[in-house]
Amino acid sequence: MPLVTAADLPYRSKFGNDRVDSTPRRWAGALVQYNEWHSTAKKAWADLSCDQVNLVVILGRQGGTCGPRFSLKKPMPADRNDPGFFFWIPANLTVYGFSEEARMLRELQVRFDAERLMPILGDEIFGGKLNMPTPSIYDDRVAKCASMLADCCIEGQDEDQLFGESLITALLAAAVQDITGKVSERQVSGLVPWQLRIAKEYLQKHLVGEVSLEEVAGLTKLSLSRFARGFKTSTGLPPYKWLLKERIQRAQALMAATATPIAEVATMVGFADQSHFTKAFRRVTGTTPRYWRTDGRTMQSGQVPRRRRQPTDVVRRTR
C-alpha cells in the first residue's frame, strides 16, 4: 500500500514534523494507521484528537522523549518514557502527541466509533472511565498486538483480515481492562456444539477468500472477543491459527496427490502468492513446501526417505 504525506492525514493541527509516513488498513470497522514521524525540530507535536476514539501505541523512538499532553505547556508526569506505552483519546477531546529532540517516532493509531466496542467486546465493557483520556499506560499485551498490527499494515495480504480482526479484538480487550481496572468475572467456556459446528463450517467454506471474524462471531450470537476466546477453548487454537492449519493441510493434500505447481497451490488454498504461502507453511510445518512435497511423496509411496549425507560422514571416510 503506498505511503501518504503528512498533508493527507486528518490531523487538526501539527507543528515541527518534517514528514509522517503512514500505512493504513481497516479491520473490524477500525482505521489502523502505522505511522513514522520524522522531525529535525527541538520540539514537535500533533493534535491526535478526531471525531472517533483514538488508541495510540508508541512502538519505537530515536532519541529524545515523547508522550501525551493535555496542554502543550504542561507535560504529564510519567515514571518512565521508554517505548511500549499506549494512551486512550475519546472522541473530540484534545490530546497532543508531544516530542522533544526525537528524530523519529514509530506509532500505531487505532481509530473507531465508540459504538463499535459493544460488538467487539460485549460484556467486557465497563463504561465510565472510557469517556476520559488517559496518561501513558504500559501493557505488554497491548504492545505486542500493536506491533503485530503494524507488521500487518506494512506487509499485510488480503487473507490477513481474520488475523487483523483478532489482533484488534485482543488489543482493545487488554486496553479496556487497563483503563477500567476491571476484568470480566464470567468464566471462559467453550462454544456450545451448534456454535462450534457453524463456526467451523463458515471457516471451511471461506478457506479461500476473505474471512471475517465479525461475521462468524455474529453467526454464533457472540461478541468478537467472547467468540475468539470460546473458539480457542473448544479447539485449542485461535480462529486464525485454526484456519491457517486447515489451509496448510489442504495444500499438503494437493501437493501429495497432484503435480500442481506450488504457486498455483498457494492461490488454491487462499494465499496471495507463493512467497506468503511459503512463509506460512514454514511457520506451521518447520519446512518449505518444496522440501515437504519431496519427502511427502516419498512417504506416500512407502519408500524410506533417502538419508542426506552429513558433514561427519565425510570426516569418517577420510580417516
Side-chain angles (χ1 to χ4, degrees), residues 188-202:
V188 178
S189 59
L191 304 180
V192 298
W194 75 265
Q195 290 173 325
L196 184 60
R197 174 183 55 79
I198 202 170
K200 286 184 175 181
E201 287 177 353
Y202 172 91

Side-chain angles (χ1 to χ4, degrees), residues 143-164:
K144 183 177 180 179
C145 288
S147 180
M148 290 190 288
L149 279 167
D151 290 340
C152 286
C153 285
I154 297 168
E155 304 175 357
Q157 304 287 344
D158 291 341
E159 65 271 17
D160 282 333
Q161 179 178 349
L162 181 62
F163 186 41

Side-chain angles (χ1 to χ4, degrees), residues 261-274:
I262 291 175
E264 292 183 27
V265 171
T267 59
M268 291 170 66
V269 297
F271 292 92
D273 52 46
Q274 183 174 340

Side-chain angles (χ1 to χ4, degrees), residues 11-86:
Y11 296 108
R12 294 175 173 175
S13 60
K14 54 187 179 295
F15 172 82
N17 297 291
D18 299 330
R19 80 174 197 275
V20 53
D21 298 329
S22 180
T23 310
R25 292 286 297 273
R26 283 193 178 274
W27 291 290
L31 173 63
V32 182
Q33 290 184 170
Y34 168 69
N35 300 320
E36 293 185 358
W37 297 80
H38 300 266
S39 176
T40 55
K42 184 175 181 180
K43 296 182 180 180
W45 52 264
D47 181 355
L48 301 180
S49 65
C50 62
D51 58 0
Q52 296 179 302
V53 179
N54 192 8
L55 174 63
V56 183
V57 187
I58 303 300
L59 300 173
R61 183 187 71 241
Q62 291 182 2
T65 61
C66 67
R69 288 192 181 188
F70 300 146
S71 168
L72 289 172
K73 296 182 179 180
K74 186 178 180 181
M76 298 178 65
D79 295 332
R80 50 191 282 197
N81 194 252
D82 53 310
F85 61 85
F86 77 90

Side-chain angles (χ1 to χ4, degrees), residues 198-211 215 219 242-243 246-247 250:
I198 202 170
K200 286 184 175 181
E201 287 177 353
Y202 172 91
L203 293 174
Q204 289 171 339
K205 182 179 178 180
H206 294 80
L207 198 65
V208 178
E210 196 172 85
V211 180
E215 186 171 336
L219 294 174
W242 189 91
L243 182 64
E246 288 291 304
R247 283 174 168 161
R250 178 77 64 85

Side-chain angles (χ1 to χ4, degrees), residues 154-296:
I154 297 168
E155 304 175 357
Q157 304 287 344
D158 291 341
E159 65 271 17
D160 282 333
Q161 179 178 349
L162 181 62
F163 186 41
E165 290 182 352
S166 299
L167 290 175
I168 288 287
T169 300
L171 181 147
L172 290 177
V176 167
Q177 287 178 11
D178 290 329
I179 294 168
T180 62
K182 297 181 180 180
V183 180
S184 175
E185 296 180 357
R186 179 179 295 180
Q187 185 176 2
V188 178
S189 59
L191 304 180
V192 298
W194 75 265
Q195 290 173 325
L196 184 60
R197 174 183 55 79
I198 202 170
K200 286 184 175 181
E201 287 177 353
Y202 172 91
L203 293 174
Q204 289 171 339
K205 182 179 178 180
H206 294 80
L207 198 65
V208 178
E210 196 172 85
V211 180
S212 169
L213 180 66
E214 186 167 11
E215 186 171 336
V216 66
L219 294 174
T220 62
K221 311 300 182 184
L222 297 173
S223 69
L224 275 67
S225 179
R226 175 67 184 85
F227 167 75
R229 291 183 292 118
F231 188 91
K232 183 177 180 180
T233 299
S234 294
T235 66
L237 294 172
Y240 68 89
K241 285 189 176 180
W242 189 91
L243 182 64
L244 178 62
K245 182 180 177 181
E246 288 291 304
R247 283 174 168 161
I248 296 302
Q249 289 178 343
R250 178 77 64 85
Q252 288 174 324
L254 286 169
M255 289 190 296
T258 73
T260 305
I262 291 175
E264 292 183 27
V265 171
T267 59
M268 291 170 66
V269 297
F271 292 92
D273 52 46
Q274 183 174 340
S275 175
H276 199 210
F277 170 56
T278 298
K279 290 178 183 178
F281 194 95
R282 186 193 294 273
R283 191 162 65 244
V284 172
T285 68
T287 188
T288 65
R290 189 177 302 278
Y291 279 116
W292 185 93
R293 171 173 255 174
T294 301
D295 294 342

